[in-house]
Amino acid sequence: MLEITPNAAYNKYLRRWETVDDVVDGEPRLKEVDLDNISIGGIYLRLINTDDKSSENVKNIKAYIKSASLFNVSSVKLSDLMHLLFRKAPKLPEIEGSSLLGDLLSSVDGSGLSMEQQSQSVAIGVIKNGRRGLLTDMPRNDDGSVKTRADVKNGFRPMIKEYSAASIIDWYDGVINGANKLTMLVLLEYFDVFIGGMGIERDTKKRYLVYKLTTDGVTLEVYSEGEDEGLVLTDGKAVAITGPQGVKLDRIPFSFIGSRNNSSTIDSIPLEPMVMQNLDHYRQSGNIGESTDKITAVQPVVASDRFLQATQNAVDSTSTVETGAGEMLALESGGTFNYVSPSANLMAITVQKNIEERIAALGGKTPNSNGVKTAEEARINRASEASDLSVISANITNGYNERIKDAFLMTGETYDEKIHDFKLNDVFFDNYADASMAKVMLDKLLAEKISKSVYDDWMKSVKLIDEKVDLELMNEAIANESGAPLGFGD
């Protein structure tokens, strides 16, 4: 039976990617995972006594899971970073001179998703997992077979498809004609098979796309799960991936997009440090909830021999002894009744507060601080975020341009990087000038240490001149109003 073996690095990182995804997804997802894994002691909460399968113990474990509360700073942090990355819309390729780009911009993967929307999904994936993939692909039939060149002439166009970190199963870099290139790639997809007489029930199966690059070009093999769950090679052969007139490709049409670079090596996971602190905070909330339910509740205490006997009789008969409003407790002379409340257990709360301090240091908003920081802390966090986002922005930009270039190659159209390039925003914060800086720049201008054009550009950058203003027209208007050209040296 044919099998696909994942890359060793993939196996190392998969659980870490899943953890980040689950935390960002939120509290219901964490509890769902733990409820499904009670038998092994849980995944996110530390479940104890799981070998005790009694209904009472299982009930207690489920109650413990439900008592935990997630303050999802990881999701909030992701939203903040996405806001910075997309505070300005990406620069999209111009349609000029291309019959391909109109369709590609409005339906980049063939499902109606625009290129801008897909780029947002890619950015979320890179921030969460440090890894995403983009593939330039020709449309395929439901069984995985590739459309023919005749189909392309009749209107089928290349697509750019996104793959999550967990969908990039295996890869290998080899040497082709003296150059180091991606020579093998395995991608995982899922497809539905309709079953049953009504034709609406379906079974989800796996499909593996295996790309290979040799000196003879690029080939694709599609392996799908058959009825016996084994893998079957679609059409029983590999299909050549070519350009127009059957011109062979010299690269697999795929781009890795990472948090550090676009090589095949798995990059660091940007959101993971925040997620791990978030998980620790979540675990302590479970401990606090458990102690609140079982320890801090007020406990009735009765000192009476006769009441003790009555209580024992009630236990033996499986009935209960009630306390509270509307109930009467009869005690003999000398008997006493009281309520005892234990001192609060502050250990878990103290641990939570320490975790919140670490979350704040990572740039997260905590329940108590609401994200309030000193000016210096804010400056450091801002610089760190801008640095990381600049790299991510450049990597996504480069990945899309490589994929657009291959889409042009597959259809035989001419690619012009000046008008067909994609560019993600890389300006995350506005610059503003204080009075002292404005004076310094004006003094430099008057002393002719900088040119008027440099001064005007700086004025625009700090919002003292609106970015829509045409500087050349503005200076012409100033010169006309004064009746003389601007001459600061006179």
Side-chain angles (χ1 to χ4, degrees):
M1 180 181 296
L2 294 174
E3 293 183 355
I4 298 292
T5 302
N7 190 289
Y10 175 90
N11 289 331
K12 177 181 177 182
Y13 277 85
L14 179 60
R15 184 61 214 143
R16 293 170 63 181
W17 296 328
E18 291 174 342
T19 297
V20 174
D21 290 343
D22 287 345
V23 171
V24 171
D25 198 11
E27 183 178 315
R29 175 57 184 166
L30 297 183
K31 292 181 176 179
E32 177 187 11
V33 172
D34 276 335
L35 288 170
D36 289 341
N37 290 278
I38 289 177
S39 62
I40 61 172
I43 300 296
Y44 297 118
L45 294 176
R46 298 183 182 94
L47 308 180
I48 60 175
N49 297 330
T50 54
D51 291 336
D52 182 353
K53 308 299 182 183
S54 67
S55 59
E56 183 65 23
N57 190 58
V58 171
K59 179 181 177 181
N60 290 337
I61 290 175
K62 290 182 178 180
Y64 173 63
I65 293 173
K66 291 178 181 179
S67 70
S69 176
L70 177 71
F71 183 77
N72 204 338
V73 292
S74 299
S75 179
V76 174
K77 185 65 176 179
L78 173 61
S79 296
D80 288 346
L81 294 175
M82 286 296 294
H83 170 74
L84 294 175
L85 199 53
F86 287 88
R87 62 190 295 267
K88 293 183 179 180
K91 173 193 171 295
L92 298 174
E94 298 176 21
I95 302 177
E96 177 185 345
S98 171
S99 61
L100 161 68
L101 273 175
D103 292 335
L104 201 59
L105 290 175
S106 61
S107 183
V108 65
D109 62 352
S111 69
L113 189 71
S114 72
M115 185 176 290
E116 182 175 351
Q117 291 169 331
Q118 188 190 66
S119 69
Q120 293 173 356
S121 175
V122 170
I124 288 174
V126 175
I127 294 172
K128 285 200 306 179
N129 302 141
R131 189 172 178 83
R132 257 325 189 247
L134 289 174
L135 174 75
T136 304
D137 190 24
M138 295 300 289
R140 286 193 303 276
N141 296 300
D142 290 340
D143 62 359
S145 59
V146 182
K147 297 289 185 180
T148 65
R149 282 288 154 192
D151 293 323
V152 175
K153 290 181 180 179
N154 290 331
F156 287 95
R157 291 291 181 263
M159 304 175 291
I160 298 177
K161 300 174 67 176
E162 175 191 1
Y163 288 86
S164 69
S167 296
I168 308 171
I169 301 295
D170 197 9
W171 58 93
Y172 182 76
D173 291 337
V175 177
I176 299 292
N177 295 327
N180 190 58
K181 294 184 176 183
L182 178 67
T183 56
M184 188 272 291
L185 175 70
V186 181
L187 302 173
L188 170 63
E189 295 183 344
Y190 293 90
F191 67 102
D192 289 333
V193 176
F194 286 90
I195 57 176
M198 297 180 65
I200 58 175
E201 297 180 56
R202 50 193 177 273
D203 185 20
T204 300
K205 293 183 175 293
K206 294 179 180 180
R207 173 167 57 219
Y208 294 92
L209 313 182
V210 181
Y211 285 87
K212 295 178 182 178
L213 171 66
T214 66
T215 53
D216 292 327
V218 178
T219 60
L220 167 64
E221 300 169 6
V222 180
Y223 294 88
S224 301
E225 283 185 334
E227 295 181 0
D228 60 354
E229 302 302 322
L231 296 179
V232 178
L233 177 60
T234 302
D235 294 336
K237 60 180 180 180
V239 177
I241 305 298
T242 62
Q245 287 80 48
V247 175
K248 64 182 182 181
L249 302 184
D250 63 355
R251 60 186 177 274
I252 295 174
F254 182 85
S255 293
F256 293 96
I257 301 179
S259 60
R260 292 291 174 261
N261 56 59
N262 286 356
S263 71
S264 62
T265 305
I266 297 178
D267 286 346
S268 59
I269 304 173
L271 207 59
E272 188 176 42
M274 183 75 71
V275 164
M276 300 313 294
Q277 296 301 322
N278 213 163
L279 266 180
D280 280 348
H281 194 271
Y282 174 67
R283 291 180 182 121
Q284 293 303 325
S285 77
N287 296 336
I288 293 171
E290 178 81 353
S291 63
T292 299
D293 290 340
K294 293 188 175 182
I295 298 175
T296 61
V298 173
Q299 175 67 47
V301 177
V302 177
S304 167
D305 291 340
R306 289 191 180 184
F307 191 77
L308 176 61
Q309 185 60 49
T311 304
Q312 186 61 51
N313 292 338
V315 172
D316 292 342
S317 63
T318 69
S319 61
T320 59
V321 176
E322 302 290 344
T323 63
E327 301 296 333
M328 182 180 71
L329 298 177
L331 305 178
E332 80 279 11
S333 176
T336 62
F337 176 86
N338 204 346
Y339 284 103
V340 176
S341 178
S343 300
N345 180 2
L346 300 179
M347 180 177 291
I349 296 175
T350 301
V351 172
Q352 266 201 325
K353 289 183 178 179
N354 291 337
I355 294 170
E356 289 167 13
E357 291 177 1
R358 293 197 291 270
I359 289 173
L362 291 170
K365 297 176 181 177
T366 65
N368 295 319
S369 70
N370 293 320
V372 177
K373 305 179 183 68
T374 66
E376 181 63 14
E377 287 173 336
R379 185 191 68 78
I380 293 172
N381 283 332
R382 174 172 159 169
S384 176
E385 289 174 352
S387 175
D388 292 341
L389 288 178
S390 294
V391 175
I392 291 173
S393 173
N395 291 345
I396 294 175
T397 294
N398 292 338
Y400 267 103
N401 288 330
E402 288 299 313
R403 297 303 98 238
I404 293 170
K405 191 182 302 182
D406 277 350
F408 274 79
L409 176 63
M410 289 180 178
T411 56
E413 292 190 9
T414 301
Y415 174 80
D416 184 347
E417 65 180 14
K418 294 181 180 180
I419 62 174
H420 296 150
D421 263 8
F422 170 96
K423 189 177 190 306
L424 204 60
N425 167 54
D426 57 3
V427 178
F428 312 116
F429 301 100
D430 289 326
N431 291 320
Y432 296 97
D434 56 23
S436 60
M437 178 57 72
K439 184 179 184 307
V440 168
M441 292 299 291
L442 181 59
D443 289 346
K444 287 186 176 182
L445 176 67
L446 295 175
E448 296 186 345
K449 293 182 178 180
I450 59 173
S451 67
K452 181 65 166 59
S453 62
V454 170
Y455 180 75
D456 287 344
D457 287 339
W458 175 80
M459 293 276 282
K460 253 192 175 184
S461 72
V462 296
K463 311 301 180 185
L464 293 177
I465 296 178
D466 191 282
E467 61 181 9
K468 296 180 181 178
V469 172
D470 186 308
L471 295 176
E472 185 176 349
L473 293 178
M474 179 192 76
N475 285 320
E476 286 181 3
I478 293 173
N480 291 334
E481 289 175 3
S482 65
L486 296 174
F488 288 91
D490 298 338

